[in-house]
Amino acid sequence: METRFKSIGIAGSGFYVPKKVLTNFDLEKIVDTTDNWIRTRTGVRERRIADDNEATSDLAVKAARKALEDARISPQEINLIIVATLSPDYLFPSTACLVQDKLGIKDAWAFDIEAACSAFIYALSVAEAFIKSDTCKTALVIGAEVFSRIVNWKDRNTCVLMGDGAGAVVLREVENGKGILSTHLGADGSRAHLLKQPAGGSRLPATEETVRQGLHYFKMQGNEVFKLAVRIMSESVITALKKGSLSNKDIDLIIPHQANIRILNAMAKKLSLPMEKFMVNLDKYGNTTAASIPIALDEASKQGRIKEGDIVVLVAFGAGLTWGATVIRW
Ligand code: ACO
């Protein structure tokens, strides 16, 4: 039997962020913080916040429509939908099923992936494997979050970091030698306590008491996470490049998870790369969790920062712990 090596790549991308802008100066009126602290410690200047009537699937659908348009394909050509999110509309049904319905797609299967900030890279890898194995032909991979709903707006340690948004890509077979060259994924559940939403699951179901104690909000040991993020994301980039028989000298653009500019500065040092090789947009959107990489990817592509044949590396790190890096020839 003849086996044919397939190259799987991004055929189109799009993103959507809510209209409402929340600046650092707005936050000064809500918690004990300053624009100067937030800018110098994180790099964030402002973030977008979803309207009361907007949920994650609404953002996801708007990003998906743009990605479909960019790929010049009709929704009916999609046969797999994966939504990467940790702020789904509901615990079930999945946000991916809601997106399928809103886009009017009939012949597709759909599910969510929860791997926090690394979820888009996990989802990309899963979709790639399904297309490679002929289980499906064209996948819609979306990272979407309305994280503002699980942020404690009285906690200055976390509320200044996060934002809402969605990014999407269409994944399908591309010209041989282009597309995804290699991926490295990892997880470490022994560090699950570092970032979590303690209540609302089967361990601690939501009660009046859990709500009173604010246990349904996102909690993080930021300092510890910071150090791990720098080391693990840098190592992931190198491991993924090695798998693709490449080195850091081959990188044209890194599109990292947009958590903190100081994390990216430290990574640039570790990888001996200039900051110009890093796509940065966290100043405008903050940390949009699973949406951060597809938003940054679409912005980079539309700004002309990626040329045909370029080596682009996506890299993320988040709760779980989870991490991942993907090397793409554009
Ligand atoms: N405004 C003013 N002061 C603040 C604020 C604020 N918004 N937040 C914290 N501080 C204070 C602290 O209370 C502390 O004060 P103290 O020294 O009197 O105790 C001081 O600033 C320093 O606090 P640190 O936590 O040590 O500050 P740090 O420099 O580590 O910055 C931050 C905190 C921004 C959270 C950083 O640690 C970080 O970015 N961590 C990584 C986040 C990340 O990558 N998360 C992963 C993805 S999220 C996900 O997976 C869902």
Side-chain angles (χ1 to χ4, degrees):
M1 196 180 91
E2 188 199 349
T3 49
R4 193 171 66 89
F5 181 78
K6 272 190 187 177
S7 296
I8 313 302
I10 292 169
S13 60
F15 84 94
Y16 170 79
V17 286
K19 286 187 185 61
K20 184 179 168 191
V21 176
L22 186 71
T23 66
N24 292 346
F25 297 104
D26 296 328
L27 280 167
E28 285 183 355
K29 295 175 200 140
I30 303 174
V31 283
D32 180 16
T33 191
T34 60
D35 167 62
N36 185 56
W37 192 96
I38 304 170
R39 252 188 313 103
T40 52
R41 304 307 292 165
T42 73
V44 181
R45 289 171 183 272
E46 56 188 44
R47 67 289 292 144
R48 301 299 180 97
I49 303 295
D51 269 354
D52 289 347
N53 61 358
E54 271 183 319
T56 299
S57 68
D58 302 315
L59 274 53
V61 164
K62 287 183 175 156
R65 286 212 168 98
K66 291 186 181 172
L68 291 167
E69 204 179 299
D70 193 43
R72 295 193 186 89
I73 65 164
S74 92
Q76 300 317 328
E77 286 180 65
I78 298 293
N79 29 50
L80 168 64
I81 302 166
I82 308 181
V83 175
T85 187
L86 53 57
S87 51
D89 288 33
Y90 311 103
L91 271 181
F92 67 91
S94 72
T95 302
C97 283
L98 305 177
V99 168
Q100 181 209 21
D101 180 50
K102 287 180 186 178
L103 289 175
I105 298 174
K106 298 286 172 226
D107 192 17
W109 40 298
F111 62 93
D112 290 358
I113 283 188
E114 199 282 273
C117 304
S118 316
F120 181 77
I121 290 187
Y122 271 53
L124 211 56
S125 174
V126 170
E128 180 203 8
F130 280 130
I131 300 171
K132 264 198 171 142
S133 65
D134 280 332
T135 310
C136 68
K137 229 176 149 184
T138 309
L140 187 55
V141 182
I142 307 169
E145 304 282 6
V146 180
F147 203 91
S148 59
R149 301 273 150 79
I150 55 168
V151 159
N152 182 351
W153 290 102
K154 290 182 180 154
D155 176 13
R156 70 177 185 175
N157 291 295
T158 52
C159 76
V160 303
L161 306 171
M162 314 305 290
D164 300 336
V169 300
V170 171
L171 206 67
R172 61 183 352 187
E173 189 171 359
V174 292
E175 192 184 316
N176 211 0
K178 287 192 175 172
I180 297 173
L181 302 181
S182 55
T183 297
H184 167 68
L185 300 172
D188 177 5
S190 73
R191 290 191 164 103
H193 58 282
L194 293 177
L195 301 113
K196 70 196 287 192
Q197 184 185 14
S202 61
R203 175 70 57 197
L204 198 56
T207 61
E208 275 182 38
E209 190 49 31
T210 62
V211 172
R212 210 179 351 261
Q213 289 183 31
L215 297 175
H216 55 298
Y217 291 130
F218 157 64
K219 318 267 180 215
M220 175 173 70
Q221 292 179 32
N223 217 295
E224 190 60 23
V225 171
F226 186 101
K227 288 179 264 174
L228 288 163
V230 173
R231 178 171 62 77
I232 295 177
M233 281 205 285
S234 305
E235 287 170 2
S236 296
V237 169
I238 297 297
T239 308
L241 283 165
K242 266 192 193 150
K243 278 189 187 172
S245 305
L246 296 168
S247 80
N248 53 350
K249 294 190 182 67
D250 296 304
I251 298 174
D252 292 298
L253 188 68
I254 292 203
I255 302 179
H257 172 51
Q258 307 282 314
N260 186 322
I261 191 67
R262 290 188 297 127
I263 292 179
L264 306 187
N265 287 333
M267 280 178 71
K269 234 184 192 169
K270 258 187 177 300
L271 293 166
S272 308
L273 290 172
M275 271 311 280
E276 295 76 63
K277 294 225 168 181
F278 283 70
M279 174 64 194
V280 180
N281 64 2
L282 60 86
D283 51 322
K284 294 186 292 185
Y285 308 125
N287 177 351
T288 56
T289 325
S292 96
I293 288 180
I295 292 175
L297 183 146
D298 188 53
E299 269 205 345
S301 141
K302 302 285 156 56
Q303 287 170 1
R305 288 193 64 180
I306 317 177
K307 298 183 302 297
E308 198 177 337
D310 274 0
I311 295 295
V312 177
V313 182
L314 317 181
V315 60
F317 174 90
L321 301 177
T322 54
W323 57 88
T326 297
V327 182
I328 298 173
R329 190 187 305 279
W330 205 255

